[in-house]
Amino acid sequence: MEGKKFMWMLKKDLLSLWRHKPRLVSMFLFPIIMIVLFGYGMGGTIENVPIAVVDQSHGEMTDQTLMAVKNMSLFEVKNITSNVNLAKEMVNNGEVKAAIILPPNYDDTSTDQSKMVVLYLDSSDQIASQAIVPATQGLFSQLSAQIGAEKLASLEVQNTAMNPQSSSADGSGVANTTDNSTADSSGADSSISSNVNGIVNSINLQINRIYGDIAYIDFLVPAVLAMTVMMSCMMGMGQSIAGERETGELARLFMTPTSITTVVGGKIFSKLIIEIAKALILLAAAILLFGITINGNIFLAIGVLILGALTFVGFGIMISATTQTQEDYTQIVMPFTMPMMFVSGVFYPIETMPWIFQKIAYLFPLTYLNDAMRGVMIKGAGIGDIWIDLLVLLGFLVFFFVAGVIRFDRDV
C-alpha cells in the first residue's frame, strides 16, 4: 500500500515538472551551459589581442619585426600605419589594446645608436596588459640579441680585414710588421669597445601606460558592481512578481481597479531605489576598503548603474511576465544570468575566450554595462566616450519593458 503511495507521489512530481516545460528545459540546459563555459571559456590563454603597429621606416629589420609580430598568437594586427597619432587614437578609442611604435631609425645600420621602440598600452585592461608587456619585451629582446650578434660578426670581419696576417723575409720587416699589427689591433679593439653599448642594447623598449599602473582590483570592481546590480535586480523580480503571483498577492492586487502599467511601474521604481542604494554602498565600500579611485565623474558612474539596473529589472519583468511560480522563474533565469557573469568580461577579458564566446558576449547587456563602468571609473570617460554602450543599454531596456508588458498575464 505504501509502495503505491510512493509511486503516486513520484508520478505527481514528475507530471508537475512535465507541465512546466520552461523549467524542465532550463534544468537540463543550465548544467550543459556551465560545463561548456568552464571547459572552453574559462582559464584559457589570451589570444588575438587587437594591436596596431607604426612603421616609420622601411627595410629588412622592419619586415622581420612585422612578420614576428604577426606570427605571435597573442596579437592580431588590426592596422599597420606610419601615422603615430592615428595608432594612439586607436588605443585611446578602445579599437586596439596597444600600439607598437617603431622609430624612424629602426632600419638604420650605419649608426650604433640604440633604437627606441615605444609600446603605447591601454592599461585599463589589467589582465591583457599582463600578457602584452612580457610578450613584447621578449620579442624585442630576441630581435636585439639578433642584431647584436650580426653586428659582432660584422666587426670581426672588419677587424680581420684591417689586420691581415703577413710575414717578411728579413728581421726588420718582421719587427715593423709586428709593431704595425699591434697598433692596428689596438685601434680595432678601441673601435670594438666604442660599439659595445650599441651592440648590447640595440633595441630599447619604452612602455607608456596611458592609464597608469592598474591593479586587478581596479579592473574588477567596476564589473563586480555591474554584476551585483544584474544579479540582485533579476533575482529580486522573481520574488516581486512570480513570488507574489504564486502566493496569490498579485491576483488580489489585480482585483482592485489597477492597471498593469501601474503595478509594473511601481515595482520597477521600488526595486530601482533598493538596488541603487545597494550599489552605492558597494561603491563606498570599494573606495574605503581598497582605495579605489573614480577617475571620471562619480555622478555619471551612478547614472550608468541606474540605467543598468533599469535594464535588468526590465529583463526580470519580461521573464516573470508569464511564469507561474518563483521556482519556475529561477530555473528559467539562471541559464541567462550565469553565462552573462562569465562571458561578459567580469573576471577575465573577453579576449581570453574562444571566438564564439567573444561573439556571444556582445549579445548580453552586462558586456556593455561593464565596458561603460570601466570607462568611467578607470579611463575617466565622459558621455561622449561611452555613448554607444549607453545607447545599446537603452535599446535593451526598451525591448525588455515592451516585451514584458505585452506578455504580462494578469490571469496566471
Side-chain angles (χ1 to χ4, degrees):
M1 185 66 179
E2 293 297 324
K4 290 183 178 180
K5 291 181 179 180
F6 176 81
M7 294 302 296
W8 180 82
M9 290 296 299
L10 177 61
K11 182 178 179 180
K12 169 188 169 296
D13 288 342
L14 292 177
L15 286 174
S16 176
L17 180 61
W18 179 255
R19 292 191 184 104
H20 294 78
K21 295 297 193 302
R23 187 201 306 179
L24 179 64
V25 172
S26 298
M27 285 179 61
F28 289 101
L29 183 63
F30 178 66
I32 295 174
I33 292 175
M34 295 307 297
I35 289 175
V36 171
L37 286 175
F38 278 102
Y40 294 100
M42 301 299 105
T45 57
I46 299 181
E47 294 183 348
N48 301 321
V49 177
I51 67 167
V53 179
V54 178
D55 171 12
Q56 300 183 84
S57 64
H58 301 283
E60 182 179 351
M61 195 61 204
T62 296
D63 295 339
Q64 188 175 351
T65 302
L66 292 175
M67 185 63 66
V69 171
K70 290 178 180 179
N71 287 337
M72 296 177 68
S73 61
L74 174 65
F75 296 138
E76 180 182 357
V77 180
K78 291 292 187 179
N79 191 13
I80 299 175
T81 178
S82 59
N83 190 329
V84 176
N85 293 329
L86 174 61
K88 289 183 175 181
E89 186 178 351
M90 292 180 69
V91 178
N92 295 334
N93 293 338
E95 297 177 49
V96 295
K97 295 291 185 182
I100 298 175
I101 304 174
L102 304 180
N105 67 336
Y106 193 66
D107 285 282
D108 186 3
T109 58
S110 63
T111 178
D112 295 321
Q113 183 180 1
S114 298
K115 279 74 172 175
M116 180 64 71
V117 175
V118 176
L119 176 64
Y120 191 76
L121 180 66
D122 177 1
S123 57
S124 64
D125 191 336
Q126 193 261 356
I127 296 180
S129 298
Q130 285 184 337
I132 293 172
V133 171
T136 308
Q137 288 173 332
L139 170 65
F140 285 102
S141 293
Q142 182 179 357
L143 291 171
S144 182
Q146 180 180 335
I147 293 174
E150 292 175 356
K151 283 185 177 181
L152 280 174
S154 177
L155 285 174
E156 288 177 0
V157 171
Q158 293 177 13
N159 187 37
T160 302
M162 292 173 61
N163 297 280
Q165 297 295 326
S166 60
S167 60
S168 180
D170 56 352
S172 61
V174 172
N176 291 337
T177 301
T178 303
D179 292 339
N180 292 337
S181 176
T182 302
D184 292 344
S185 176
S186 176
D189 290 341
S190 176
S191 176
I192 292 175
S193 297
S194 68
N195 288 292
V196 167
N197 290 334
I199 292 172
V200 173
N201 298 311
S202 297
I203 301 176
N204 292 328
L205 181 65
Q206 176 182 320
I207 302 172
N208 291 350
R209 294 176 170 87
I210 61 177
Y211 302 112
D213 291 324
I214 302 296
Y216 182 63
I217 190 67
D218 296 310
F219 172 79
L220 188 63
V221 164
V224 168
L225 287 171
M227 181 193 70
T228 303
V229 167
M230 176 203 73
M231 293 293 294
S232 186
C233 287
M234 293 182 67
M235 292 304 175
M237 292 312 297
Q239 185 275 329
S240 181
I241 294 182
E244 290 185 9
R245 178 181 281 126
E246 183 178 6
T247 59
E249 294 178 45
L250 201 60
R252 290 193 293 272
L253 182 62
F254 280 131
M255 291 176 67
T256 64
T258 306
S259 66
I260 293 177
T261 304
T262 302
V263 172
V264 172
K267 290 187 175 296
I268 288 171
F269 284 99
S270 63
K271 192 64 181 173
L272 182 63
I273 292 172
I274 295 171
E275 297 312 322
I276 293 305
K278 287 182 181 179
L280 292 177
I281 292 172
L282 284 171
L283 189 59
I287 294 172
L288 294 175
L289 297 178
F290 301 105
I292 299 299
T293 57
I294 300 177
N295 294 319
N297 190 313
I298 188 171
F299 296 106
L300 178 58
I302 294 172
V304 171
L305 282 177
I306 291 174
L307 179 59
L310 281 170
T311 300
F312 291 114
V313 166
F315 190 90
I317 290 175
M318 183 182 70
I319 298 297
S320 63
T322 56
T323 51
Q324 299 178 12
T325 66
Q326 189 171 350
E327 185 179 358
D328 285 347
Y329 176 86
T330 302
Q331 291 293 337
I332 293 171
V333 84
M334 287 298 285
F336 294 98
T337 56
M338 295 303 289
M340 268 198 281
M341 286 176 55
F342 290 106
V343 175
S344 297
V346 175
F347 305 104
Y348 305 95
I350 295 175
E351 289 81 11
T352 63
M353 304 172 193
W355 69 271
I356 185 64
F357 289 166
Q358 294 181 32
K359 304 303 181 185
I360 292 174
Y362 293 101
L363 299 177
F364 292 137
L366 184 59
T367 300
Y368 302 94
L369 183 56
N370 287 342
D371 189 61
M373 287 298 295
R374 285 187 175 127
V376 175
M377 294 182 64
I378 298 177
K379 301 179 180 180
I383 293 181
D385 301 309
I386 60 172
W387 69 271
I388 294 179
D389 294 319
L390 300 181
L391 187 62
V392 173
L393 286 172
L394 187 61
F396 276 115
L397 171 64
V398 172
F399 173 77
F400 291 152
F401 274 114
V402 170
V405 171
I406 292 175
R407 296 179 67 246
F408 199 93
D409 189 353
R410 60 184 294 165
D411 297 323
V412 173

